[in-house]
Amino acid sequence: MGKLSYGYRKLTAKDSDKPACAACDITHGGLHLDETAQWKAAKAEVVKSGAVKDVKQFHRDELDGETKGVVQSQGLQFPMVLAKDEGSGLRSVMSSEELAAFKGDPQAFMQKLTQKLEGGASGV
């Protein structure tokens, strides 16, 4: 049902600055079911560079207890990017508005993510 709802929002959205899901645009190129080759390459490149140890995406219904707690306690809106720092837990790195600014460009997203993470996050 989630994919149908997303598809409807994507097809009926009037404002390109507020996409149905900015994260989906970056990772799946919109309505595709599989990750794009550009997203896979960008993930591999940022991990290979050592900027992060791992990159994982989760839908809101796939979050573990720790992540749900951070999202709820900080009043974060989906989609967002969280980073897991060694010893200090999860922190917000990018908001849905920031993700929308990339207009689906995985390389631009990873460049900005790398800049923001310089200084200690181990995974996103």
Side-chain angles (χ1 to χ4, degrees):
M1 191 66 171
K3 288 180 184 171
L4 288 175
S5 175
Y6 166 75
Y8 176 77
R9 289 190 327 272
K10 176 85 175 157
L11 293 171
T12 60
K14 294 181 174 135
D15 187 351
S16 65
D17 291 332
K18 293 184 180 180
C21 179
C24 294
D25 289 348
I26 292 168
T27 62
H28 289 72
L31 292 174
H32 303 281
L33 296 177
D34 295 323
E35 293 179 349
T36 65
Q38 294 88 350
W39 171 246
K40 289 177 184 177
K43 274 195 313 186
E45 183 179 317
V46 76
V47 170
K48 185 178 178 182
S49 77
V52 299
K53 290 182 183 174
D54 197 9
V55 176
K56 298 178 185 177
Q57 307 100 243
F58 299 100
H59 292 101
R60 67 180 73 210
D61 61 344
E62 300 171 332
L63 303 180
D64 62 24
E66 177 189 13
T67 307
K68 283 181 188 177
V70 169
V71 170
Q72 291 172 347
S73 70
Q74 295 183 22
L76 301 174
Q77 300 295 312
F78 291 96
M80 88 284 295
V81 176
L82 301 175
K84 188 167 192 167
D85 293 315
E86 295 290 332
S88 61
L90 292 168
R91 66 181 169 95
S92 177
V93 179
M94 282 191 218
S95 68
S96 57
E97 291 82 16
E98 289 175 288
L99 290 171
F102 296 110
K103 303 222 182 269
D105 183 341
Q107 290 294 334
F109 164 74
M110 284 298 186
Q111 286 175 351
K112 185 66 170 183
L113 179 64
T114 300
Q115 289 173 0
K116 286 185 169 236
L117 294 179
E118 287 178 352
S122 62
V124 288

